[in-house]
Amino acid sequence: MLLDFLQQLGHRSLSIFARLGRASQFLLVTLMALPSVVMRPFLLVKQMYNTGVQTLLIILVAGIFVGMVLALQAYIVLVDFGAEESISLMVSLSILRELGPVFTGLLFAGRAGSALTAEIGLMKSTEQLSGMEMMAVDPMKYIIAPRFLAGVISVPLLALIFMAVAVLGGFFVATDMLGQYEGVFWSQMQVKVDFYDDVVNSIIKSAVFGFVVVWIAVFEGYDCVPTSEGLGQATTRSVVYSSLAVLGLDFVLTAVMYAV
Amino acid sequence: MNMDTPINTSAQPNDILIEIRNLHFSRGDRPIFDGIDMDISRGQITAIMGPSGTGKTTLLKLIGGQLKPDAGTIKVDGEDVHKLSHKALYDLRRRMMGMLFQSGALLTDLSVYDNVAFPLREHTHLSESMIHHLVLLKLQAVGLRGARNLMPAELSGGMARRVALARAIALDPQMIMYDEPFTGQDPISMGVLVTLIRSLNEALGLSSIVVSHDVPETCSISDYVYLISAGKVVEHGSPAQLAKSESAWVQQFMGGLADGPVPFHFKGPSIMDDLMQSGLG
């Protein structure tokens, strides 16, 4: 009984480490294949459309609502202290420091990451990747590298759009709904939001999230068991792992950037 | 037949394109190949036949360098496939090999035309008008010039395989590996593919390897046949020689008989024991 348990534990740990090793090796090969994207810029543009532009709608809608809700909640709390002119501060700081990058990472994992995993996994199970190898075209260069790079570029841009839209959402609620002066809203933000501490750090955060989410998504697709069941599991794993990675990394990055 | 001497039916005994020696390969704990030797001659159609699950497709992947053997060597045109660097392997594939996958393996986001043009665009610096001519000629060879604007999803299985064939010959390789080309085809598509494989081999001076378990179709076009089972080469020779083989296994396989050395019943206790037990239970 105990031996069985130990054996299973060992077996599982070994397979986890083997997978981690494969994922790291995969990342290395992907990074080495990146220069070849320069030779085929049309692939990068196509993938940026597929992953970036196609995710734009959900980012815009989510951004505007998150900003609006935040402004409302901020007003409810702040009005008791007569500090309702700080709405813009609360909205912009929480968006920039946390919600912008995290929401974008999670939405990107759900919308684009899962699609990447499913697409690459299906290519594997329909032998398209093998077929490419036998035509002497390296799928790492033709399929993986452009998708990886497109994702890594797209996520920070999407995060910036998300944050801009969210602040605008907060602005509309604060001024049109709650009757705050426009000047108050913007001047509070201008005084208290720091370019490097807040804006640059949030771009760094979203770049890290983008890197990890896309890495997980393409790896899960490339490494999936080429059956319908295996593909389903890989897609699920892609979304679950990348969401958890975004949340975990967010804590680490926040600790490094703001607390320590 | 003598299994020890290198084998060749053609007039040039030294004209070996692929030389496989003492090949061992296993998946997990299950051995797939247990010391296989093969010689595949230039300019011929060599068939590799055997029951499902004997690793025929695996053998093609080993020859193409997509899998690594546990032991043994595979030489293609004198080069040891598994000792080549990544770049040299890709060079060898580009120069020598075309492969027709069972599913066709067409790129689903490209049209028929673009699929055939794909290797040309990737590997040559030809102008688009030149590529246009080449693609139309290749599609003409497989009879699908009129289908060039269709997407892969709009093709029947047989058509997809023909497009894949046009793509495989786009770079004029010296050899083509066919993975189960006849499986799941209606009689007409099957006839078309049989004729195409033979005529392309003659017209382009190719060497072909056909992996299959469709005995009559494969035998009708192949010059030489290897039968593999349980990780070993069971028999080899021309189709006529195999038909006369005295081995009971070969007779069963070639004749498609339900019972013989390969039993009809999967291993298990006798039916009497099984029924008695379930009756009591």
Side-chain angles (χ1 to χ4, degrees):
Chain A
M1 187 68 183
L2 183 70
L3 267 181
D4 273 0
F5 173 74
L6 282 177
Q7 193 182 9
Q8 263 196 350
L9 191 73
H11 188 73
R12 271 199 77 99
S13 327
L14 275 182
S15 80
I16 288 172
F17 280 111
R19 241 177 103 74
L20 266 176
R22 280 207 304 280
S24 317
Q25 193 187 21
F26 175 83
L27 180 65
L28 196 71
V29 178
T30 306
L31 292 178
M32 288 192 328
L34 283 183
S36 66
V37 178
V38 181
M39 309 278 286
R40 307 181 180 93
F42 59 96
L43 283 180
L44 180 66
V45 173
K46 191 175 165 195
Q47 290 311 321
M48 288 205 51
Y49 177 79
N50 280 347
T51 50
V53 179
Q54 301 270 41
T55 317
L56 203 53
L57 183 67
I58 189 171
I59 289 285
L60 288 174
V61 174
I64 202 147
F65 278 106
V66 167
M68 283 162 47
V69 168
L70 264 179
L72 271 180
Q73 292 285 6
Y75 180 78
I76 293 167
V77 176
L78 296 175
V79 77
D80 288 345
F81 306 99
E84 64 268 29
E85 64 268 27
S86 298
I87 291 180
S88 73
L89 199 60
M90 182 152 162
V91 171
S92 54
L93 284 186
S94 38
I95 293 285
L96 281 171
R97 290 184 174 184
E98 297 297 338
L99 294 178
V102 171
F103 253 85
T104 309
L106 294 179
L107 290 174
F108 188 84
R111 167 64 184 77
S114 58
L116 275 179
T117 308
E119 188 192 16
I120 295 171
L122 202 62
M123 282 185 170
K124 183 179 181 182
S125 53
T126 53
E127 296 180 314
Q128 292 184 54
L129 297 183
S130 281
M132 226 175 244
E133 276 180 15
M134 288 308 296
M135 283 188 282
V137 177
D138 191 346
M140 293 305 290
K141 291 182 178 157
Y142 194 88
I143 300 289
I144 305 295
R147 282 168 174 73
F148 183 81
L149 191 60
V152 169
I153 297 173
S154 297
V155 175
L157 295 176
L158 288 170
L160 280 174
I161 293 171
F162 179 96
M163 294 185 284
V165 170
V167 169
L168 280 180
F171 172 76
F172 287 129
V173 169
T175 53
D176 290 346
M177 264 181 75
L178 306 170
Q180 195 177 52
Y181 286 117
E182 295 171 9
V184 174
F185 188 92
W186 293 125
S187 64
Q188 281 279 335
M189 241 177 95
Q190 202 180 3
V191 174
K192 291 282 174 62
V193 176
D194 185 79
F195 180 72
Y196 290 103
D197 271 359
D198 301 320
V199 180
V200 173
N201 272 347
S202 86
I203 295 174
I204 293 174
K205 261 192 183 180
S206 55
V208 173
F209 296 164
F211 186 90
V212 173
V213 169
V214 182
W215 174 23
I216 292 175
V218 287
F219 174 71
E220 286 293 348
Y222 195 78
D223 196 56
C224 81
V225 182
T227 59
S228 29
E229 196 191 3
L231 190 54
Q233 285 170 349
T235 314
T236 310
R237 270 202 310 269
S238 164
V239 177
V240 172
Y241 288 172
S242 39
S243 304
L244 293 178
V246 165
L247 296 169
L249 277 173
D250 184 48
F251 176 76
V252 175
L253 288 175
T254 303
V256 171
M257 287 169 173
Y258 300 105
V260 184
Chain B
M1 249 153 296
N2 188 344
M3 306 271 293
D4 298 321
T5 50
I7 348 75
N8 214 298
T9 52
S10 68
Q12 312 89 9
N14 290 321
D15 210 4
I16 306 289
L17 180 65
I18 301 176
E19 184 190 285
I20 301 176
R21 288 289 173 269
N22 193 28
L23 182 74
H24 287 78
F25 183 79
S26 50
R27 276 191 195 281
D29 295 335
R30 199 165 74 91
I32 308 275
F33 298 123
D34 188 14
I36 279 189
D37 295 315
M38 274 188 198
D39 286 316
I40 290 169
S41 322
R42 261 178 231 276
Q44 293 198 331
I45 298 183
T46 305
I48 298 168
M49 293 200 278
S52 312
T54 39
K56 304 187 294 294
T57 305
T58 309
L59 184 62
L60 293 188
K61 291 198 162 174
L62 282 162
I63 295 174
Q66 292 190 301
L67 295 172
K68 276 201 188 309
D70 300 335
T73 55
I74 298 178
K75 283 187 182 161
V76 176
D77 203 24
E79 295 191 74
D80 188 337
V81 175
H82 301 96
K83 292 222 169 76
L84 295 175
S85 68
H86 185 74
K87 190 172 173 304
L89 177 62
Y90 272 68
D91 275 350
L92 180 74
R93 283 180 186 158
R94 197 186 62 229
R95 250 181 328 115
M96 301 287 301
M97 299 179 185
M99 179 151 172
L100 187 73
F101 285 85
Q102 198 174 348
S103 61
L106 296 176
L107 302 172
T108 44
D109 57 340
L110 299 180
S111 68
V112 165
Y113 178 94
D114 288 327
N115 259 291
V116 181
F118 180 78
L120 294 167
R121 287 184 179 140
E122 282 296 317
H123 292 308
T124 67
H125 298 288
L126 299 174
S127 66
E128 270 304 308
S129 68
M130 190 71 175
I131 288 179
H132 182 79
H133 280 84
L134 279 172
V135 170
L136 292 193
L137 287 175
K138 303 294 176 189
L139 282 173
Q140 173 75 10
V142 298
L144 290 176
R145 192 168 36 83
R148 63 178 177 273
N149 292 324
L150 297 181
M151 294 303 282
E154 298 171 280
L155 302 174
S156 70
M159 285 162 84
R161 255 173 242 188
R162 280 151 72 188
V163 173
L165 187 52
R167 187 178 68 174
I169 57 173
L171 286 172
D172 295 318
Q174 299 197 24
M175 55 178 272
I176 297 198
M177 298 186 273
Y178 297 90
D179 185 9
E180 304 273 5
F182 310 121
T183 307
Q185 298 294 309
D186 63 65
I188 299 176
S189 315
M190 182 111 90
V192 169
L193 281 165
V194 168
T195 319
L196 262 180
I197 293 175
R198 184 77 245 181
S199 60
L200 281 178
N201 206 69
E202 312 266 294
L204 303 178
L206 293 169
S207 314
S208 305
I209 305 173
V210 180
V211 147
S212 178
H213 47 227
D214 294 290
V215 176
E217 288 77 17
T218 313
C219 283
S220 72
I221 53 166
S222 46
D223 300 303
Y224 206 80
V225 179
Y226 281 91
L227 286 182
I228 53 177
S229 175
K232 298 264 187 206
V233 174
V234 178
E235 194 75 284
H236 55 82
S238 68
Q241 286 171 313
L242 287 195
K244 286 191 228 124
S245 167
E246 281 162 16
S247 149
W249 189 92
V250 175
Q251 285 303 332
Q252 188 191 357
F253 185 80
M254 300 296 277
L257 310 174
D259 213 350
V262 181
F264 169 73
H265 290 290
F266 194 77
K267 264 192 305 211
S270 77
I271 182 159
M272 194 57 109
D273 291 347
D274 246 4
L275 290 176
M276 290 298 279
Q277 214 166 23
S278 53
L280 293 174

